[in-house]
Amino acid sequence: MKKYFCSFRMGMKSEYEYRLNFIFVLFSAFFPMIIQTFLWIAIFENSKKPIVYGYTLNQMILYTILSQMIAKFLKTGVETEISTDVKTGGLSKYIIKPFNYLLYKLFGFVGKKAIHMEIILAFILIVLVVFNWKVQITMSIGRGVVFLVAVFLALILNFYIFCCLSMLSFWVTDAWGIFFGARFLIDMMSGAIFPIDIFGETIIKVFQALPFQYMVYFTVNIITGKISLHMALQGIGIQVIWILVLGLLTRYLWKRGLLQYVAVGG
Amino acid sequence: MKELTKHLRLMGLFTKRYIMSQMEYRTSFFTILIVESLILLSKLLYTAVVYNTDMVVDGLKPEAITLFTGTFFIISAVYGSIFMFNFTNLQNSVYDGSLDIAITKPISLQFYLTVSTIDLAVPIPNFIAGAVMVTNAWKTLELSMEPVVIIGYVFYIILGVLMLYSILLLPPLLSFWFVKSEGISHIVSGLSNFNMMPMAIYPKALKIFGTFIIPIFIVSNFPPLFVLGRLNVGMKLWGILAPIVFFLGARIVFKKAIQKYSSIAN
Amino acid sequence: MNAISVKNLNKVFTYYEKKEGFQHSLKNLLVRKQKTKEAVKDISFDIDSGDIVGFLGPNGAGKTTTLKMLSGILYPTSGEVQVLGYCPWKRQKQFKMKYSMVLGQKSQLWPDLPATETFRLNQYIYEVDEKKCKMLVDELTEYLDVKHLLHVQVRRLSLGERMKLELIASLIHSPQLIFLDEPSIGLDLVSQQKIRSFIRYWNEQYKTTVMITSHYMKDIEDLCERVIVINSGKKLYDGSLCDVNYMFKNIKIVNLELSDEIDDMKLAEFGTITKKEGLNCTMEVHKEDLHEFIGYVTEKLNIKDINISDIPVEKGIELLYR
């Protein structure tokens, strides 16, 4: 266990140096936020209805801001890291050691995100305070705690989704295109670009059967108050189930992949 | 005239070079094509929302709004095919010595460094989507088919490309003075996304900023505004003047950057 | 006429100490420690049209920096330079049309494409007409024996083949002057030989001025009558290659073949021993001590053979580098 904690600390340390970079990354989320915010203002003004896609204007703006931030926070680069390890043979130096490579990566990733956590929480707090002052939103300590748990689970879920995807690099020579494309698709399906309510009913049904919406859409809506506390707890259960399913799938693919890796001689 | 044919022949050669090397790496062409299509898809969500909510802003119906979005896609396509990869390579050319060789050639250095790497996979999805949206808007809005209007539209598109070129060239040039400019590049290219929507949806301060200070709206808001007859004489002139001024500015900064390189490099 | 004339050329680099990490970068924006390095110090020389001149010096001596200033890539800190009658760093088009630069470390050929495509690129850039270009390429490929490689992708070629095509690409516009920066680096002996003979041939045929840097002594011996040696940015020697050892005319090389073992200390009294293998011994002896030394050797020692010679060129250059 100690070695994984060491990986956690290493992830934290290396990211600490570059924490200002993360602020830059957050800045890049700033423009889509502005564009969408004014888009929604125009839409609400025009429609004359107080509720569009099931959101009030304030809820929608809050969703727009928080979803962009959460999406940037969840972002991982683990698929390229693992893929490079597989491609350049860097994996060899890990698999001869008596430890679990995937767990090692997970702890490193969480350590890295621990640094981002404080920044993102500060941002979210500012946003909420400003919103609370301007308009009333249904906020309670209970919701806050559930939200934090959901964000943490979303982080691990996101890790396993991309980890699972990165197993492709055992079989596909140039997987970067797949990773890059997948990132956009997953963003779309997780509600990072727009809330998934904008899609038609059929598509929403499909999305509900997939794990992606439990990363951004579900998490942010705990705060916007669009879902009840009861539903939120249920959602957390689903998050856990998806983490288990994807974790096991990744493990299975990893074992198959390693056989392949050893067979071709790394 | 002789110089023009020389440069056109070189452009032809660069295109030939791209096509020939793509024959070699066919997969990369399709990968980029798919990735670009997915990025495009995520941008098309904005249009979907506009149509879905039947949004009207400043008298612009959804079809008119797609005229703006489509124009933005067309200009992005031109930028992506001719300039994008050159701009990202600019910083590298200092380190790998290709800048040294380029300096010794009897040809415009800026031309050589900013157009020599052409790509035809990036623009295809953008151009198709843009062209479809613009023609559709033109038909449904029953816009004038007079040559003056069409030529004017194309003219403002060319100016828009010039504007985008001048704005986006600045961040990579900054790397001659500062070590890293990726963060700035990211932010500036995010700015151009404001053009996905007609500038009418933005508040006044943003409109003024985007028209006069960093004239990002000239890139792809002006061509449709011209077609819709919404540019007054002053704006028409500014739409011509600003790209020229900014291009000359970019040219001066380019020369300064090379000068900087020549006096400090070893 | 002088192809190149350089007067009191200086180049000082200023650079900043940089540490890794964002914090340090930020700190560097505010206060930066500026450091200077004199890469080229007060160098002057002239090169006649049609000459091949070797430009020698150990790594980091300032050769490439000087070449970059002569070709207009870098600005000098001070000094006057005229190349083909132009001031290089004004980068006039007419000037660029007349010279060529080959960097052994950096290829200008497009790696994914056959070399002909780069030839075409240069043909367009240098505005060479089709017919002339074709004739020239025919002649050059014939001479270098690379005709069959013209349609092979560059990255599939060997280093030697690549360099030959590199040379052709840089000669398409028949330049009056060529800067060659380590053209033979990393090549095998046969390729080196081929490239040398080609440079010689080209120089004789077209009276092109050539300035060449190389770490292979054979390149220089074969090609250059004149060499300029620099070290730490300063010019140390400028003259004919065979006269390099004239600077060391006071030192003689003595080869001894002994028949008995002898104490090194005894010999070291007369000069420095540079090599000793069993009974074979090579030493450097000062001219003034030579008489005494030979007396000692012939009288006191039992020798099988003795051979006295001047310092060889290669050795002379090496001594200059120190």
Side-chain angles (χ1 to χ4, degrees):
Chain A
M1 205 56 210
K2 215 173 148 193
K3 48 200 168 196
Y4 302 117
F5 194 68
C6 185
S7 159
F8 174 82
R9 282 227 318 259
M10 249 163 63
M12 252 175 89
K13 254 191 197 154
S14 61
E15 203 52 33
Y16 186 76
E17 275 293 303
Y18 296 101
R19 65 192 187 285
L20 275 172
N21 271 0
F22 182 62
I23 295 182
F24 263 125
V25 170
L26 276 185
F27 260 118
S28 71
F30 206 53
F31 293 130
M33 267 183 222
I34 298 177
I35 298 171
Q36 288 181 24
T37 302
F38 289 113
L39 179 64
W40 287 120
I41 291 175
I43 287 172
F44 274 83
E45 256 174 28
N46 180 57
S47 84
K48 304 281 188 286
K49 275 180 283 177
I51 289 178
V52 175
Y53 291 128
Y55 292 81
T56 64
L57 175 59
N58 287 320
Q59 279 180 327
M60 194 57 109
I61 292 176
L62 190 60
Y63 184 93
T64 302
I65 295 171
L66 291 187
S67 64
Q68 295 284 344
M69 284 211 263
I70 297 281
K72 288 284 188 264
F73 170 64
L74 296 181
K75 211 176 145 206
T76 140
V78 75
E79 70 278 16
T80 34
E81 277 173 43
I82 294 179
S83 156
T84 332
D85 275 351
V86 172
K87 286 279 115 57
T88 60
L91 201 56
S92 307
K93 70 170 184 259
Y94 292 110
I95 54 174
I96 53 164
K97 285 180 193 156
F99 78 167
N100 185 331
Y101 173 79
L102 295 176
L103 219 50
Y104 168 81
K105 280 279 169 207
L106 174 65
F107 273 78
F109 173 67
V110 176
K112 194 171 133 179
K113 288 298 167 183
I115 297 294
H116 295 174
M117 192 76 173
E118 35 178 311
I119 301 171
I120 203 90
L121 283 182
F123 267 93
I124 289 177
L125 210 65
I126 294 169
V127 171
L128 289 182
V129 166
V130 170
F131 258 77
N132 239 330
W133 165 56
K134 276 270 188 198
V135 287
Q136 210 54 48
I137 45 167
T138 44
M139 192 59 214
S140 67
I141 299 194
R143 265 181 199 271
V145 173
V146 174
F147 170 71
L148 287 182
V149 174
V151 168
F152 182 71
L153 289 174
L155 194 65
I156 296 179
L157 181 58
N158 190 44
F159 173 83
Y160 275 116
I161 286 172
F162 280 95
C163 205
C164 198
L165 198 63
S166 72
M167 294 300 127
L168 272 177
S169 38
F170 282 114
W171 294 278
V172 182
T173 13
D174 239 344
W176 67 266
I178 300 177
F179 295 157
F180 208 83
R183 252 178 256 164
F184 275 89
L185 262 184
I186 291 175
D187 268 356
M188 236 186 286
M189 294 190 285
S190 67
I193 301 173
F194 280 108
I196 61 170
D197 309 82
I198 66 157
F199 297 99
E201 243 170 78
T202 351
I203 299 179
I204 293 177
K205 280 235 172 68
V206 175
F207 284 0
Q208 267 164 354
L210 294 170
F212 309 113
Q213 63 157 324
Y214 291 97
M215 294 192 298
V216 180
Y217 177 73
F218 164 71
T219 322
V220 172
N221 274 337
I222 297 175
I223 290 276
T224 61
K226 201 178 169 261
I227 51 176
S228 66
L229 208 55
H230 177 72
M231 292 272 282
L233 289 171
Q234 213 175 352
I236 284 183
I238 299 175
Q239 277 185 319
V240 173
I241 291 169
W242 271 119
I243 289 173
L244 288 175
V245 169
L246 285 164
L248 287 173
L249 181 62
T250 309
R251 236 188 122 55
Y252 170 73
L253 289 174
W254 167 255
K255 287 208 166 134
R256 291 289 303 268
L258 269 192
L259 283 179
Q260 168 96 0
Y261 181 78
V262 176
V264 295
Chain B
M1 203 56 211
K2 194 176 148 227
E3 282 295 302
L4 183 70
T5 38
K6 174 177 168 181
H7 286 76
L8 283 179
R9 280 169 94 188
L10 283 168
M11 286 287 280
L13 197 62
F14 296 144
T15 315
K16 183 179 167 194
R17 164 198 181 186
Y18 169 77
I19 293 169
M20 283 180 78
S21 53
Q22 283 309 309
M23 309 265 215
E24 200 49 26
Y25 308 101
R26 246 163 295 188
T27 47
S28 111
F29 177 82
F30 290 109
T31 319
I32 293 181
L33 201 64
I34 291 167
V35 169
E36 276 301 318
S37 305
L38 286 171
I39 296 175
L40 178 74
L41 192 64
S42 69
K43 285 179 179 165
L44 282 174
L45 288 183
Y46 286 77
T47 309
V49 167
V50 166
Y51 266 98
N52 235 325
T53 58
D54 210 7
M55 163 183 157
V56 177
V57 62
D58 199 18
L60 297 169
K61 284 189 282 185
E63 285 80 13
I65 293 173
T66 56
L67 186 63
F68 288 82
T69 317
T71 308
F72 172 69
F73 288 157
I74 290 174
I75 288 176
S76 303
V78 177
Y79 171 74
S81 61
I82 309 178
F83 306 118
M84 192 171 76
F85 285 101
N86 294 289
F87 285 14
T88 41
N89 284 341
L90 205 57
Q91 205 168 346
N92 267 338
S93 70
V94 175
Y95 298 112
D96 72 7
S98 46
L99 178 62
D100 286 340
I101 291 177
I103 289 177
T104 67
K105 304 275 181 198
I107 179 178
S108 157
L109 190 59
Q110 191 177 343
F111 171 81
Y112 190 72
L113 288 181
T114 56
V115 304
S116 59
T117 308
I118 279 175
D119 190 279
L120 295 180
V122 171
I124 290 175
N126 284 301
F127 191 81
I128 292 174
V132 168
M133 287 163 88
V134 169
T135 17
N136 180 51
W138 216 288
K139 262 192 220 151
T140 38
L141 296 172
E142 289 169 353
L143 292 170
S144 157
M145 298 287 278
E146 271 176 61
V148 190
V149 179
I150 293 173
I151 290 169
Y153 178 69
V154 173
F155 178 63
Y156 275 102
I157 280 189
I158 293 168
L159 287 168
V161 172
L162 192 67
M163 191 77 230
L164 191 62
Y165 172 92
S166 313
I167 292 175
L168 293 187
L169 183 57
L170 294 176
L173 288 181
L174 284 182
S175 66
F176 284 80
W177 284 274
F178 307 106
V179 207
K180 267 191 181 172
S181 62
E182 277 165 12
I184 308 170
S185 287
H186 235 79
I187 289 173
V188 174
S189 62
L191 259 180
S192 71
N193 284 336
F194 275 86
N195 278 302
M196 271 199 285
M197 289 291 132
M199 61 196 265
I201 73 161
Y202 303 112
K204 205 167 177 197
L206 202 57
K207 275 184 217 161
I208 290 173
F209 177 81
T211 309
F212 297 107
I213 298 169
I214 301 181
I216 201 75
F217 291 133
I218 288 181
V219 175
S220 72
N221 250 280
F222 274 40
L225 285 175
F226 171 81
V227 174
L228 297 168
R230 286 171 174 239
L231 283 182
N232 60 33
V233 182
M235 281 298 136
K236 272 182 195 154
L237 287 177
W238 176 240
I240 298 169
L241 188 67
I244 295 170
V245 169
F246 270 74
F247 178 72
L248 292 177
R251 178 121 189 87
I252 290 168
V253 178
F254 180 87
K255 285 191 170 161
K256 288 261 181 236
I258 299 298
Q259 226 171 51
K260 174 85 181 170
Y261 171 76
S262 288
S263 31
I264 63 145
N266 54 359
Chain C
M1 200 197 99
N2 285 339
I4 301 176
S5 106
V6 177
K7 257 191 220 117
N8 312 107
L9 189 64
N10 280 290
K11 177 76 185 174
V12 180
F13 291 122
T14 55
Y15 62 98
Y16 299 103
E17 244 186 342
K18 270 184 204 121
K19 284 182 195 157
E20 285 293 312
F22 199 89
Q23 267 179 312
H24 292 293
S25 315
L26 215 62
K27 225 181 274 170
N28 281 337
L29 275 179
L30 304 171
V31 247
R32 292 199 284 190
K33 240 189 232 161
Q34 193 171 345
K35 296 199 160 182
T36 56
K37 186 190 167 214
E38 293 177 277
V40 173
K41 285 180 233 168
D42 202 29
I43 287 183
S44 304
F45 59 83
D46 292 314
I47 292 177
D48 281 341
S49 247
D51 277 5
I52 304 184
V53 175
F55 195 43
L56 308 181
N59 288 329
K63 292 174 307 217
T64 305
T65 307
T66 309
L67 284 191
K68 280 185 178 177
M69 284 191 281
L70 296 185
S71 55
I73 295 170
L74 296 182
Y75 300 148
T77 309
S78 67
E80 275 171 53
V81 176
Q82 286 255 308
V83 178
L84 303 172
Y86 295 89
C87 169
W89 52 88
K90 282 190 183 149
R91 297 179 188 155
Q92 281 139 301
K93 190 179 161 194
Q94 299 99 300
F95 168 58
K96 289 183 184 175
M97 302 281 270
K98 288 184 181 137
Y99 79 97
S100 200
M101 179 141 188
V102 178
L103 303 170
Q105 313 263 32
K106 169 72 196 167
S107 175
Q108 63 163 321
L109 301 171
W110 282 338
D112 293 332
L113 265 43
T116 43
E117 295 302 320
T118 310
F119 295 172
R120 171 124 321 166
L121 172 75
N122 278 352
Q123 183 205 328
Y124 288 171
I125 288 181
Y126 289 100
E127 299 162 21
V128 184
D129 72 56
E130 188 78 40
K131 223 162 135 197
K132 212 174 139 205
C133 182
K134 201 180 167 314
M135 267 169 58
L136 194 68
V137 171
D138 278 346
E139 181 195 343
L140 296 177
T141 44
E142 189 83 31
Y143 191 94
L144 282 167
D145 192 23
V146 287
K147 225 174 192 114
H148 57 293
L149 302 174
L150 279 180
H151 298 285
V152 181
Q153 283 159 328
V154 170
R155 65 188 166 83
R156 295 189 202 279
L157 301 174
S158 75
L159 212 55
E161 292 166 339
R162 233 180 279 182
M163 183 41 73
K164 288 175 190 168
L165 293 167
E166 190 82 40
L167 278 172
I168 297 175
S170 58
L171 293 175
I172 288 222
H173 56 297
S174 326
Q176 296 173 15
L177 166 68
I178 317 172
F179 297 110
L180 298 167
D181 193 15
E182 301 187 30
S184 53
I185 195 157
L187 304 191
D188 61 60
L189 292 173
V190 182
S191 304
Q192 284 185 27
Q193 169 63 39
K194 191 81 195 170
I195 282 177
R196 277 200 293 273
S197 75
F198 172 72
I199 294 169
R200 166 114 293 184
Y201 159 82
W202 182 265
N203 166 267
E204 277 166 7
Q205 201 77 1
Y206 295 92
K207 303 284 168 263
T208 310
T209 313
V210 179
M211 194 164 175
I212 177 171
T213 78
S214 176
H215 284 301
Y216 299 105
M217 215 43 225
K218 198 85 178 85
D219 285 350
I220 305 299
E221 278 175 5
D222 268 20
L223 288 171
C224 318
E225 266 137 42
R226 177 177 162 202
V227 293
I228 296 171
V229 182
I230 68 169
N231 195 0
S232 327
K234 275 186 285 204
K235 188 170 94 171
L236 298 177
Y237 177 80
D238 183 354
S240 87
L241 185 64
C242 40
D243 286 346
V244 165
N245 42 6
Y246 184 76
M247 289 185 69
F248 304 99
K249 62 179 187 301
N250 290 329
I251 299 172
K252 296 279 172 190
I253 303 282
V254 182
N255 268 307
L256 293 175
E257 202 180 321
L258 307 158
S259 44
D260 299 310
E261 275 292 337
I262 181 168
D263 190 5
D264 288 357
M265 292 299 286
K266 272 272 187 304
L267 291 173
E269 274 174 34
F270 298 94
T272 41
I273 301 168
T274 50
K275 205 168 117 192
K276 194 159 184 280
E277 269 168 16
L279 296 172
N280 273 315
C281 178
T282 312
M283 350 187 358
E284 285 168 17
V285 180
H286 213 267
K287 211 174 175 182
E288 289 159 19
D289 302 330
L290 198 63
H291 191 78
E292 205 183 328
F293 180 58
I294 293 176
Y296 169 79
V297 167
T298 42
E299 278 169 32
K300 298 276 164 66
L301 295 179
N302 199 355
I303 51 166
K304 277 187 185 157
D305 195 9
I306 181 165
N307 183 8
I308 301 168
S309 58
D310 284 328
I311 285 206
V313 172
E314 203 164 330
K315 183 84 191 162
I317 301 271
E318 199 189 306
L319 285 171
L320 274 175
Y321 281 10
R322 275 183 209 159

